[in-house]
Amino acid sequence: AMRTLEVQAIQDVTIMAMTSLAETRDDETGNHIRRTQLYVKVLAERLRDHPRFEHVLNDRMIELLYKSAPLHDIGKIGIPDSILLKPGKLTVEEFEIMKTHAAIGAAAIGKAMHDVLAAADDTTAAQAHGAFAFLRAAQEIAASHHENWDGTGYPAGLRGEEIPLLARVLSVADAYDAMTSHRSYRRGVKKSVALEEIRRCAGSQFDPMVATA
């Protein structure tokens, strides 16, 4: 029981430390991360009773999603200030650079896990594999939360159920917060407008079942 508590504490500290890195670059990123974490938990709980998701979205998986969701934009620490903090609309070239945050985040999380395992003995490595479940989920989400249901997203152009479920859930929560939040270059829209946009994009940008929920 004590070992389990220690693992949970390490997970929580890791998430807070990595999330704080993102906040040092951009306060709005930090606020977005916290809101999205709460939205994604509510959405996953709504989906858990659906026949298509009930075998996946159990208590354990929802907890993994909730814990790992704050790391979805961790790759933004690798985006130059001139782009990340730009007060106006990004150019096409700047947006291409911004899009690399998904791959940057997934690579950073993957490298962290690899380096720990490489330095560990067999017993510690076996324990770490279990403790890393939330980081593997975070890596999956960071890599795929901008993939679109119809294959038009990035970075890999995944389509439909090729996109990991946790990333498909995060995608809807992420888009909802992005639309309803104020930015330096635009005002957020009303919640009703954001919900209508999610409905409109069901089957193109979003998994239709997740959008419906």
Side-chain angles (χ1 to χ4, degrees):
M2 286 299 296
R3 188 174 294 117
T4 298
L5 290 174
E6 288 173 359
V7 168
Q8 290 174 346
I10 290 168
Q11 289 178 352
D12 293 343
V13 169
T14 301
I15 291 168
M16 290 304 298
M18 296 180 78
T19 302
S20 294
L21 283 175
E23 290 180 319
T24 62
R25 298 291 314 287
D26 174 21
D27 286 341
E28 182 48 45
T29 294
N31 294 329
H32 165 69
I33 286 169
R34 283 188 290 272
R35 287 191 302 267
T36 303
Q37 182 184 32
L38 297 173
Y39 293 151
V40 82
K41 185 176 183 180
V42 172
L43 183 53
E45 288 173 344
R46 175 65 61 88
L47 284 163
R48 69 181 303 164
D49 294 328
H50 192 287
R52 184 174 151 199
F53 303 113
E54 60 185 359
H55 66 291
V56 179
L57 289 176
N58 51 34
D59 289 343
R60 164 75 169 159
M61 191 57 68
I62 292 175
E63 180 69 12
L64 280 177
L65 176 57
Y66 177 74
K67 280 195 168 187
S68 58
L71 301 183
H72 73 277
D73 272 342
I74 192 66
K76 286 185 177 179
I77 62 175
I79 302 301
D81 282 348
S82 60
I83 295 174
L84 184 65
L85 306 180
K86 184 177 179 178
K89 186 176 180 179
L90 299 180
T91 65
V92 173
E93 292 79 12
E94 289 169 338
F95 184 58
E96 287 302 310
I97 294 172
M98 177 65 85
K99 285 163 62 176
T100 65
H101 80 274
I104 291 171
I109 295 169
K111 186 177 186 304
M113 290 189 289
H114 175 272
D115 289 351
V116 168
L117 293 174
D121 57 35
D122 290 344
T123 300
T124 305
Q127 294 172 341
H129 271 294
F132 281 171
F134 83 103
L135 280 178
R136 285 192 290 271
Q139 184 182 32
E140 198 173 72
I141 291 170
S144 302
H145 69 285
H146 285 294
E147 300 287 358
N148 291 341
W149 185 254
D150 63 2
T152 60
Y154 64 87
L158 301 180
R159 178 188 299 271
E161 295 193 4
E162 293 175 348
I163 306 167
L165 174 58
L166 298 188
R168 298 188 331 249
V169 176
L170 192 285
S171 175
V172 173
D174 187 42
Y176 175 79
D177 186 68
M179 286 187 282
T180 56
S181 300
H182 299 313
R183 296 289 189 268
S184 59
Y185 54 90
R186 63 158 175 78
R187 299 282 296 174
V189 302
K190 293 181 179 179
K191 294 176 182 179
S192 58
V193 175
L195 292 174
E196 184 55 38
E197 180 66 8
I198 289 171
R199 291 189 192 97
R200 188 183 70 81
C201 294
S204 55
Q205 183 175 352
F206 305 121
D207 178 332
M209 293 295 127
V210 179
T212 296

